[in-house]
Amino acid sequence: MRTKLFLPALLVAITSTTSINADDDTGFYAGLGLTRAAVTANDLDSSNTNGSIALGYMFNDRIGVDFSTYILGNSKDGNLTATTGTLALTGVYQMPVSERIDVFAKLGVARTELELKKGSTTLIDESTNDFIWGVGGKMDFGKHNILLEYNKLSPNDGGIDIINLGYRYEF
């Protein structure tokens, strides 16, 4: 009998003493991230690691708007080089899974700059407006959040898959 009561009591004690209460997600936020992007364009299939910056506003705990820039940089594959960068404006819908974990989906538009060169010859030099979508999750530690997200966009002559590990501060 004691054993049956001891384990649940211990779990409650551990979780209540180490608990950090999640706050209201309403308001402005800013974030930085480490971005892994895979670029596919013509004969180029390459990936690299750079960064991201995000600014946003949550109207309530579920709906918001996000403005992000993904600094995708240069990708090389043999003598093919792609230089890419993306600015995205997305609507955000998030749902709580637990007190500290939220999942979210993003849908919006992105302005993508893509330059593809073979040696010194430019094959593609375009700026396109594309749809971007993403899914992810975040751990909420009050004003501090850690998030992991996947975004997908498809400029005219290729595709970009973006995985972002980020930190967000809520004001």
Side-chain angles (χ1 to χ4, degrees):
M1 178 74 173
R2 282 186 175 177
T3 307
K4 289 181 182 180
L5 294 176
F6 178 74
L7 186 56
L10 180 62
L11 289 174
V12 168
I14 290 171
T15 57
S16 65
T17 58
T18 60
S19 176
I20 299 173
N21 292 329
D23 68 334
D24 182 12
D25 285 335
T26 304
F28 288 99
Y29 63 83
L32 297 171
L34 184 63
T35 301
R36 183 75 176 167
V39 178
T40 306
N42 288 351
D43 294 331
L44 177 72
D45 188 7
S46 183
S47 60
N48 65 9
T49 304
N50 281 296
S52 67
I53 300 170
L55 298 171
Y57 184 80
M58 293 300 292
F59 300 105
N60 54 43
D61 281 340
R62 299 222 176 195
I63 298 173
V65 64
D66 184 270
F67 178 73
S68 299
T69 179
Y70 300 100
I71 306 156
L72 306 177
N74 294 327
S75 299
K76 279 193 125 177
D77 188 9
N79 64 347
L80 289 173
T81 304
T83 304
T84 54
T86 299
L87 294 172
L89 179 63
T90 56
V92 177
Y93 180 78
Q94 72 180 17
M95 275 183 22
V97 174
S98 70
E99 183 180 342
R100 278 189 238 118
I101 298 175
D102 296 326
V103 294
F104 59 87
K106 296 165 64 173
L107 180 64
V109 293
R111 178 77 173 171
T112 303
E113 305 283 331
L114 175 62
E115 182 181 64
L116 182 65
K117 288 186 173 186
K118 185 172 188 174
S120 61
T121 305
T122 301
L123 301 174
I124 299 171
D125 189 3
E126 66 182 13
S127 297
T128 60
N129 295 320
D130 306 295
F131 285 105
I132 185 170
W133 62 270
V135 293
K138 72 176 179 104
M139 291 193 69
D140 191 341
F141 298 102
K143 299 248 180 232
H144 306 278
N145 296 264
I146 297 171
L147 61 100
L148 180 63
E149 66 180 314
Y150 169 80
N151 294 288
K152 175 71 174 182
L153 62 108
S154 299
N156 287 342
D157 295 315
I160 301 173
D161 296 294
I162 303 166
I163 296 174
N164 187 47
L165 175 62
Y167 166 79
R168 179 185 294 170
Y169 181 80
E170 297 172 348
F171 296 97

